[in-house]
Every structure is written in C-alpha cells, then in structure tokens.
Amino acid sequence: MKLFVDTGDIEEVRLAAEWGVIDGVTTNPTLIAKSGKGFKETVLKICELMPGGDISAEVVATDYESMVKEALEIASWHEQIVVKVPLIEPGIRLVKFLSDKGIRTNVTLVFSVSQALLAAKAGATYISNFVGRVDDISDDGMVAVADTVRMVHEYGFESEVLAASIRHPLHVVKAVEAGAHVSTMPFKILQMLFKHPLTDSGLQRFLEDWNKAGLTIG
Ligand code: E4P
C-alpha cells in the first residue's frame, strides 16, 4: 500500500519525507489555505521535498472550460503533479480529457461506488474515497472503499483506490483489509502508526540492560 501525507504544511512534508516510506502528498484547497502560502509555491516546494512522489493539487473552478484551464496550468508546473478533480459532471469530463492526454488525475470527494465507477471509466489514476466524513455522519465509510476495490479488480480498471479522510490508525488497518491501494492521512496520524506501548517499554528495557552491563558496539 502507498502512504500519502495529507497536508499543505511544508515542515510536515519535510519530516515525513525523511522517513523514506512516504509515496506522495495530497493537498486540497482547505489545506493550502491553512498553509498561509501561495498555491504554486507550496506545491512546487512539496515536489522538491518529496522527489519522485505523487503530489496531488486540486482545481477550484467548477465549470468545464475553467477547470480545463486550471488543470493544464497545474499539470505544467511539475511532472510529479497529479491533478485533483472533484467528482462533479464537468469534473468527470475533465478527467477523461486529461487521461486521454496522459495527465494523471486524482478524483476527490468520492463517497459511493456509483461515483467511483464514473471516475474509473474516465480513467482516473486515483479515486479518493473519503472515509472519516462518512463515519462522522454515523455511517461506515470503509464499506465504499472495499466495494470500490472489488469493482476495480472485477472489471480490470487501472485506477487505484485511495482511502482518504483517514482519522485514526484503525482506519489505516481497515483500509489495508479492504485492499485499498493507497491511504492518505494527516501527518499526526502517520506518526501514530509508529506507536506501540510494548515497543516503548521493550526498547527501554533493552537499553537499561545494555547500559547496566557496560557494553559498547565496537
Ligand atoms: C483527501 O485527499 C482529502 O484531502 C482529505 O483526506 C480530506 O480529509 P478530511 O475529511 O479529514 O478533511
């Protein structure tokens, strides 16, 4: 499974990139607005900090002609950029247009298999299925992820299913069980993936015993 960090914060990208196990970054208009910096400047800095990673940057227009213009501009900034497109009618038309041109896309705000089917048929590189926002309204957001993974395999679509709106480590575990190709999550959730109390106590014990014995490496 690929792991993406969902952020517009350069410092978080820098830290996550150091681990060497993060495959990309997803941004959205809210995250970019929160960063307090310009869109292009932030996205290009992220590309620099995560060489080879897939960096999603979202269009904000909602009419087809303007969406095309924005998408082509965003895609021209850097080869690592994946154009993020909301699942609306002109958005699906845009994804088909971009796929035909070989420009990679991430279809966002996907909540159902019927929406995911349209994204897959349009040739989306990634289908971002939101989990947490569905859980927030007392439903099980992971069901659509699992069903979409099944659909993609069943019909041989090339799209990768991206579990988005991840709120805690259990979502990541469930996304693995569902067979999602990617999970994107805030930096603090990625940090939580490292944590286990037995790791902390086990390491403390190893180091105490080593130091008590006065051992050295060489
Ligand atoms: C995905 O690409 C979105 O940016 C993100 O996962 C949304 O998460 P949220 O529901 O926590 O805002």
Side-chain angles (χ1 to χ4, degrees), residues 6 26 28 84 130 133 164-165 167 184:
D6 195 31
T26 47
N28 64 38
K84 209 170 173 190
F130 282 40
R133 293 189 192 192
S165 188
R167 300 281 162 78
T184 191

Side-chain angles (χ1 to χ4, degrees), residues 58-59 61-62 67 84-95 106-122 124 126-130:
E58 189 163 340
V59 298
T62 53
M67 288 174 98
K84 209 170 173 190
V85 181
L87 200 144
I88 53 179
E89 288 183 25
I92 288 301
R93 186 176 165 199
L94 174 66
V95 171
N106 175 352
V107 179
T108 189
L109 292 169
V110 178
F111 294 91
S112 69
V113 181
S114 53
Q115 291 179 313
L117 174 61
L118 295 169
K121 286 190 68 72
Y126 295 111
I127 302 173
S128 281
N129 211 304
F130 282 40

Side-chain angles (χ1 to χ4, degrees), residues 2 28 30 33 39 57 74 94 99 102 139 141 152 161 166 171 184 194:
K2 293 182 195 169
N28 64 38
T30 303
F39 183 30
I74 292 169
L94 174 66
S99 322
D139 210 339
V152 161
V161 181
I166 294 270
H171 272 155
T184 191
F194 286 89

